[in-house]
Amino acid sequence: MEERVLGRTGRMVSVVGLGTWQLGADWGEVSDDESRAVLEASLEAGVNFFDTADVYGDGRSEQALGRFLADHEGEGITVATKMGRRADQVPENYVLPHFREWTDRSRRNLGVDRLDLVQLHCPPTAVYSDDEVYDALDTLVADGVTAAYGVSVETVDEALTAIARPGVATVQIILNAFRHKPLEQVLPAASEAGVGIIARVPLASGLLSGRYTKDTTFAENDHRTFNRSGEAFDVGETFSGVPFDTGVEAAARFTEIAGGLTQDLTAAQAALAWVWQRAGVSTVIPGARNPEQARLNAAAGSASSLGPLFTSKVRDLYDELVREHVHDRW
Ligand SMILES: NC(=O)c1ccc[n+]([C@@H]2O[C@H](COP(=O)([O-])OP(=O)(O)OC[C@H]3O[C@@H](n4cnc5c(N)ncnc54)[C@H](OP(=O)(O)O)[C@@H]3O)[C@@H](O)[C@H]2O)c1
């Protein structure tokens, strides 16, 4: 699988990584055995970048990664975690004593002295413009608590504000066939500044696999049930903010495009290839709930170029069905 430099971390990471929210909670049940199998299958298939957060299963995802890391020392794995959502998301909470407390807990969960990368986990917008926040993050690096820091953002404006800061190594943002706005300014600005782009929710929470119908239901403890309208967190994190029925229709069209123009790629794989083949993307981090999904996703990291016709058809689909729901919101 192709590898790229992850922005200012200077680390080489696989173009397809793994998101591990599923290995914590909020996606129905994923057992510890299944979770371990997902991690092993990913690594075996060439994935060396793993994204987690202190809040995923309140530490369960980080702990699963910690056990996995202990068995794969020296194998070039990079783990990015996130902090800031175990407390109220108010600007007053984004201060050095909390950063120390949160990163100490993540280091314990992951079983490491120094984190590879810690990201602010979608903080309030004002946080991105606060000099003291960046001073505190620089202190974490100077103290050896983390090798680098980045931000996970909701909007392109937040991304652009963060990219302008010299210490920001990476920006994590939603980018997928149903989310095109980061292509306009964020990706070029990140490339120019040498900031890494971690593209999340690449399958629009699974929609882009084309597997769901308008009648599909999800478990009660799955955010695709309980956050349909943003009841628990930003609605953009569930199905990329696209209304479910529209998403199903758009996914059927995406599946048709993928079937017609790619050879041997599933719709999910084509969706992932579309993301990592956008200039400026460092890595794309699909979530997987079983080893089979993990293997298929990793294989998308060696897909050949999708080509301009594919790209223009995806753009048309976005303009016709999806743009009005998302483009000016995030
Ligand atoms: N605020 C933040 O910073 C933030 C927010 C959201 C996500 N993230 C990160 O981004 C990662 C990725 O986003 P996400 O997990 O929310 O969404 P996603 O990657 O767009 O979708 C994941 C879902 O897609 C389906 N899927 C995965 N591989 C598949 C395959 N090969 N074939 C068919 N279906 C497949 C599975 O659905 P089923 O469960 O139906 O099988 C899986 O649960 C997360 O795990 C997390 O690390 C960060």
Side-chain angles (χ1 to χ4, degrees):
M1 157 145 41
E2 185 178 324
E3 295 188 0
R4 290 178 181 161
V5 179
L6 181 60
R8 294 177 179 145
T9 70
R11 286 167 176 266
M12 293 302 290
V13 297
S14 48
V15 290
V16 176
L18 178 74
T20 65
W21 184 8
Q22 283 75 1
L23 313 189
D26 299 331
W27 292 81
E29 291 312 315
V30 177
S31 71
D32 285 349
D33 285 350
E34 195 86 307
S35 153
R36 180 58 179 242
V38 166
L39 294 171
E40 296 291 350
S42 299
L43 182 66
E44 214 166 280
V47 169
N48 66 9
F49 179 72
F50 297 84
D51 177 75
T52 184
D54 57 2
V55 79
Y56 294 162
D58 199 21
R60 183 173 175 235
S61 172
E62 283 186 336
Q63 287 160 10
L65 271 163
R67 292 188 292 274
F68 170 72
L69 279 179
D71 291 339
H72 292 284
E73 244 179 89
E75 293 184 38
I77 294 171
T78 296
V79 173
T81 192
K82 310 187 200 80
M83 63 177 177
R85 294 189 82 85
R86 296 183 69 252
D88 290 343
Q89 282 110 63
V90 290
E92 304 82 82
N93 273 337
Y94 294 80
V95 290
L96 186 58
H98 284 162
F99 291 170
R100 287 198 201 282
E101 184 193 319
W102 299 336
T103 49
D104 282 351
R105 181 174 178 273
S106 289
R107 290 191 293 158
R108 279 196 303 276
N109 281 341
L110 289 165
V112 298
D113 289 335
R114 188 164 69 153
L115 301 172
D116 297 332
L117 176 68
V118 66
Q119 305 158 95
L120 292 181
H121 199 165
C122 297
T125 303
V127 168
Y128 296 98
S129 308
D130 185 341
D131 290 346
E132 285 178 24
V133 168
Y134 295 97
D135 290 346
L137 292 167
D138 287 335
T139 302
L140 294 183
V141 175
D143 290 352
V145 166
T146 187
Y149 64 83
V151 293
S152 182
V153 305
E154 298 289 6
T155 68
V156 299
D157 287 344
E158 291 168 350
L160 293 168
T161 304
I163 288 167
R165 295 284 177 157
V168 171
T170 58
V171 167
Q172 181 176 139
I173 192 164
I174 298 182
L175 172 67
N176 62 43
F178 294 169
R179 275 287 188 103
H180 287 207
K181 196 160 182 187
L183 301 175
E184 294 170 358
Q185 290 183 64
V186 173
L187 266 51
S191 286
E192 171 81 24
V195 170
I197 290 288
I198 300 168
R200 76 168 181 271
V201 195
L203 300 173
S205 312
L207 266 178
L208 280 159
S209 69
R211 287 154 56 220
Y212 312 144
T213 69
K214 290 182 180 174
D215 299 324
T216 301
T217 55
F218 300 90
E220 219 169 283
N221 58 350
D222 189 315
H223 71 100
R224 294 169 294 184
T225 299
F226 69 74
N227 196 50
R228 279 279 172 109
S229 313
E231 297 90 332
F233 42 81
D234 193 291
V235 69
E237 304 296 346
T238 300
F239 302 126
S240 290
V242 181
F244 186 67
D245 285 3
T246 306
V248 167
E249 193 187 335
R253 226 170 102 188
F254 181 84
T255 304
E256 228 177 85
I257 297 168
L261 293 179
T262 68
Q263 282 162 1
D264 305 330
L265 292 186
T266 66
Q269 289 176 314
L272 297 177
W274 180 89
V275 178
W276 72 256
Q277 292 178 10
R278 298 311 97 200
V281 171
S282 312
T283 184
V284 56
I285 51 164
R289 63 185 303 109
N290 57 49
E292 197 199 344
Q293 288 181 351
R295 273 188 287 271
L296 285 166
N297 295 345
S302 33
S304 45
S305 169
L306 293 170
L309 184 58
F310 187 98
T311 304
S312 83
K313 280 182 181 279
V314 170
R315 165 62 70 170
D316 292 346
L317 154 62
Y318 177 77
D319 287 344
E320 284 166 36
L321 293 176
V322 179
R323 174 185 276 269
E324 66 180 289
H325 299 288
V326 300
H327 204 80
D328 296 323
R329 281 180 90 181
W330 292 282

